[in-house]
C-alpha cells in the first residue's frame, strides 16, 4: 500500500502556504483550504509521501476549527490527493486511502434539463447588443481559443476575468490558457481527441460499459474502435481495462453515466497509474458536474495529472444543449494538434455566444442560475423518489445524490421488461430501460428516469399513470 512516508516539512513554515486560505471569510474558508491544499500537492510544494500534521495540530496552527480540517482531509482523501491509514496518519499521495462513505454508492448521469428554467431574461440582459464593449473589441475572431478561452490575455483583458476558469476553479482542474480549447460541447471535444489519438497510432479506445452510447458513436465516427470496459462499484474495472490492450479510455468519474457511481479514490489513483504506465490518456467527461444534492463535490481527475487526463465539459446540462458551447483541457503534448484540428474543423466557436456567456458569468448570473436549478431539481428528484416508492412497491432507486436522473430497479414480478415498456408507452409515459445503455436486461425491470424537465406535480402524476398501466 502506497509509498513509505517521508518526513513532513520542517517546523510549521511549509504550512504557511495555507494561511491565506485559512484567513478567507468563514463562508468560503473550507473551499479555499481545499483548493490551496490541492494546489500545493499538484505543484509539488507538498511532495508525495509527505506526512501531514494531525488535523488537531494543523487546525491550531492555522487558527481554524478542527472540524474544518478533518473535512478538508476527508474530501482530499476521497479525491485521491491524500491517503490516510486509520489511526496512523495522513500522507500526500493517493492510491491507498480508505473509501469515502459516498464513494461507490453515489449518483448517476444525465437527462434532460428543464426548458422552463432557462434564464431567458437574465441572459438577454447579457446580450452584447446592450451597453458594454462589443464582442469584437474583446475577442479576436477565428481562433479556437478566443474570448473566454483566450490565449492572449493581454489582448483580451475582459475575457480573462470571465474565462471558464470560473468553472474550472470550482472543479479544481489545471486550466492554463495554453491547454484550453473552446469547442461545440463534449461531443466535439470527443471527436477532436479521437482524431488526435488516431493520428498518433491508436486504433481503439476504451469506453465505459454501461456508458453513454454517444461516446462509442463519436469514437467510431473518428475511425477508432470503441472497446467496452465493464464497471464495478468503484468505477471502471482495472483488470478488464488492462486486458483490453488500449491506451486511452473515456470515463465519467464524478458521476458515471448512467449508473451514477462516483469513482472511488483508490480507483481514481489506479486509473492514473495505468495511464502513466501505458503512456496513455484518460478522457474525463464531466457532463453534469454542476448538479449534486446530497454529497460533497468530488474534484476533477484532471487536477491530479493534467498530462495524462483530458477534461471536457459544456453548458449543455447547466443551460441548454442547443447552445453548443463547451471546453476541453488537453495535456501539453496534445494541445497544439488539438487546437489546429479545431481551427481546421470550424475556425472556432461564434464569439457572440461566448461573449454573452462571459458576461452572464461575470455578472454572477450563472452562479445564481445554478443555485436556483439545484433547488428546483432537488425538489423534482424528491417528488420522483417518493412517488416511485409509493406507487411501485419493491422498487430500488439508486443514483439519486446528483445528476438529472435516477435508476429505478423493479423486482421480477413487474417484468418482463418489454411488456412493462409497451404498457408504459401505451399509457403515454416515456421511460427508457437501462439496457439501452449497454447493460444486459435482467429478470426485473430497470429504468433510467429523468426528472429535471418536469415540475413535481407532473412527476407524481406520471408515476401514478405508469403504475396504473403496468399493475
Ligand atoms: C455522458 C454525456 N456526456 C456529455 C453530454 C453532453 O454533450 P454535449 O456537451 O456535446 O451536449 C451528454 C449529453 O447528453 C452525455 O450524456
Amino acid at each position: 500500500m502506497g509509498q513509505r512516508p517521508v518526513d513532513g516539512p520542517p517546523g510549521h513554515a511549509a504550512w504557511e502556504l495555507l494561511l491565506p486560505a485559512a484567513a478567507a471569510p468563514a463562508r468560503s474558508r473550507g473551499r479555499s483550504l481545499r483548493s490551496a491544499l490541492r494546489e500545493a500537492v499538484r505543484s509539488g510544494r507538498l511532495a508525495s509521501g509527505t506526512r501531514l500534521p494531525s488535523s488537531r495540530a494543523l487546525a491550531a496552527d492555522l487558527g481554524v476549527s478542527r472540524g474544518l480540517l478533518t473535512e478538508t482531509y476527508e474530501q482530499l482523501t476521497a479525491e485521491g490527493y491524500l491517503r490516510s491509514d486509520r489511526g496512523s496518519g495522513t500522507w500526500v499521495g493517493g492510491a491507498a486511502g480508505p473509501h469515502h462513505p459516498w464513494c461507490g454508492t453515489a449518483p448517476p448521469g444525465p437527462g434532460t434539463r428543464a426548458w422552463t428554467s432557462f434564464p431567458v431574461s437574465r441572459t438577454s440582459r447579457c446580450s452584447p447588443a446592450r451597453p458594454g464593449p462589443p464582442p469584437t473589441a474583446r475577442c479576436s475572431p477565428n481562433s479556437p481559443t478566443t474570448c473566454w478561452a483566450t490565449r492572449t490575455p493581454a489582448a483580451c483583458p475582459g475575457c480573462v476575468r470571465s474565462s471558464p476558469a470560473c468553472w474550472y476553479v470550482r472543479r479544481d482542474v489545471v486550466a492554463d490558457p495554453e491547454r484550453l480549447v473552446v469547442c461545440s460541447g463534449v461531443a466535439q471535444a470527443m471527436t477532436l481527441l479521437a482524431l488526435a489519438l488516431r493520428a498518433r497510432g491508436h486504433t481503439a479506445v476504451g469506453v465505459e460499459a454501461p456508458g453513454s452510447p454517444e461516446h462509442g458513436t463519436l469514437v467510431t465516427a473518428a475511425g477508432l474502435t470503441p472497446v467496452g470496459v465493464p464497471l464495478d462499484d468503484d468505477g471502471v474495472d482495472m483488470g478488464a481495462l488492462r486486458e483490453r490492450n488500449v491506451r486511452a479510455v473515456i470515463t465519467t468519474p464524478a458521476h458515471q453515466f448512467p449508473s451514477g457511481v462516483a469513482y472511488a479514490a483508490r480507483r481514481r489513483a489506479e486509473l492514473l497509474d495505468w495511464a502513466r504506465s501505458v503512456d496513455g490518456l484518460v478522457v474525463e467527461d464531466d457532463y453534469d458536474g454542476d448538479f449534486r444534492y446530497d454529497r460533497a463535490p468530488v474534484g476533477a481527475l484532471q487536477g491530479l495529472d493534467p498530462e495524462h487526463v483530458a477534461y471536457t465539459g459544456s453548458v449543455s446540462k447547466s443551460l441548454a444543449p442547443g447552445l453548443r458551447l463547451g471546453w476541453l483541457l488537453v495535456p501539453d503534448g496534445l494541445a497544439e494538434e488539438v487546437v489546429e484540428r479545431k481551427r481546421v474543423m470550424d475556425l472556432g466557436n461564434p464569439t457572440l455566444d461566448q461573449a454573452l456567456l462571459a458576461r452572464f458569468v461575470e455578472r454572477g448570473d450563472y452562479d445564481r442560475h445554478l443555485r436556483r436549478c439545484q433547488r428546483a431539481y432537488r425538489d423534482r428528484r424528491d417528488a420522483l423518489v417518493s412517488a416511485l416508492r409509493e406507487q411501485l412497491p419493491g422498487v430500488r432507486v439508486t443514483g439519486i445524490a446528483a445528476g438529472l436522473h435516477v435508476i429505478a430497479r423493479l423486482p421480477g414480478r413487474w417484468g418482463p421488461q418489454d411488456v412493462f415498456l409497451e404498457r408504459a408507452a401505451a399509457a403515454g409515459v416515456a421511460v427508457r430501460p437501462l439496457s439501452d445503455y449497454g447493460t444486459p436486461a435482467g429478470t426485473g425491470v430497470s429504468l433510467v428516469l429523468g426528472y429535471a424537465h418536469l415540475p413535481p406535480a407532473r412527476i407524481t402524476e406520471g408515476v401514478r399513470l405508469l403504475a396504473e398501466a403496468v399493475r
Side-chain angles (χ1 to χ4, degrees), residues 43-382:
S43 64
R45 289 165 80 190
L46 286 178
S48 180
T50 302
R51 186 184 194 137
L52 272 72
S54 72
S55 54
R56 184 193 301 275
L58 187 55
D61 281 353
L62 296 175
V64 302
S65 76
R66 187 182 173 195
L68 191 64
L69 248 293
T70 310
E71 269 174 37
T72 303
Y73 280 11
E74 281 179 0
Q75 174 69 26
L76 268 73
T77 301
E79 293 174 9
Y81 284 85
L82 306 179
R83 64 189 170 85
S84 143
D85 292 335
R86 202 179 295 277
S88 65
T90 303
W91 288 271
V92 174
H99 294 193
H100 191 277
W102 72 68
C103 289
T105 53
T112 314
R113 59 175 308 287
W115 269 108
T116 47
S117 63
F118 187 82
V120 176
S121 61
R122 288 206 202 99
T123 44
S124 58
R125 278 209 308 261
C126 300
S127 163
R130 297 256 171 165
T136 43
R138 297 157 48 112
C139 317
S140 53
N142 296 344
S143 157
T145 53
T146 50
C147 201
W148 40 278
T150 182
R151 294 183 148 214
T152 50
C156 196
C159 300
V160 177
R161 271 186 299 120
S162 55
S163 87
C166 303
W167 288 280
Y168 298 142
V169 166
R170 188 158 54 202
R171 303 289 294 124
D172 281 302
V173 293
V174 175
D176 341 310
E178 290 73 27
R179 64 174 78 232
L180 180 57
V181 184
V182 174
C183 54
S184 308
V186 170
Q188 189 180 43
M190 293 291 171
T191 300
L192 289 166
L193 287 171
L195 290 171
L197 291 175
R198 206 183 97 177
R200 274 153 200 253
H202 290 243
T203 54
V205 173
V207 292
E208 293 171 327
S212 165
E214 291 304 319
H215 289 162
T217 307
L218 292 164
V219 161
T220 307
L224 296 174
T225 306
V227 181
V229 186
L231 303 163
D232 59 27
D233 286 349
D234 288 344
V236 283
D237 178 328
M238 292 308 300
L241 178 58
R242 288 188 194 98
E243 280 168 14
R244 294 300 185 269
N245 203 20
V246 291
R247 289 193 300 118
V249 62
I250 301 177
T251 60
T252 47
H255 188 227
Q256 201 277 327
F257 178 80
S259 73
V261 162
Y263 279 34
R266 187 187 303 262
R267 188 59 50 83
R268 292 154 63 91
E270 287 169 350
L271 196 53
L272 295 178
D273 283 346
W274 168 82
R276 287 176 207 124
S277 71
V278 298
D279 190 22
L281 184 72
V282 177
V283 180
E284 178 173 26
D285 175 357
D286 201 20
Y287 69 100
D288 68 355
D290 285 313
F291 298 109
R292 62 189 166 75
Y293 314 106
D294 311 316
R295 67 164 159 112
V298 181
L301 205 56
Q302 191 263 8
L304 292 169
D305 191 343
E307 300 316 326
H308 291 96
V309 181
Y311 173 93
T312 176
S314 73
V315 297
S316 290
K317 300 292 178 196
S318 57
L319 286 170
L323 292 177
R324 308 311 308 142
L325 205 41
W327 45 88
L328 168 62
L329 294 168
V330 284
D332 259 351
L334 277 178
E336 212 170 304
E337 178 174 353
V338 170
V339 167
E340 181 55 15
R341 282 184 184 277
K342 167 69 182 168
R343 198 185 65 76
V344 169
M345 208 176 266
D346 59 16
L347 295 177
N349 279 54
T351 48
L352 267 180
D353 300 355
Q354 297 182 52
L356 190 144
L357 182 65
R359 202 174 296 177
F360 190 59
V361 171
E362 249 169 24
R363 297 171 58 114
D365 283 333
Y366 186 73
D367 272 337
R368 272 188 286 279
H369 166 72
L370 286 182
R371 283 197 295 274
R372 196 167 60 90
C373 287
Q374 191 126 350
R375 284 193 298 273
Y377 296 168
R378 184 198 300 259
D379 289 349
R380 289 164 190 211
R381 178 207 61 174
D382 290 347

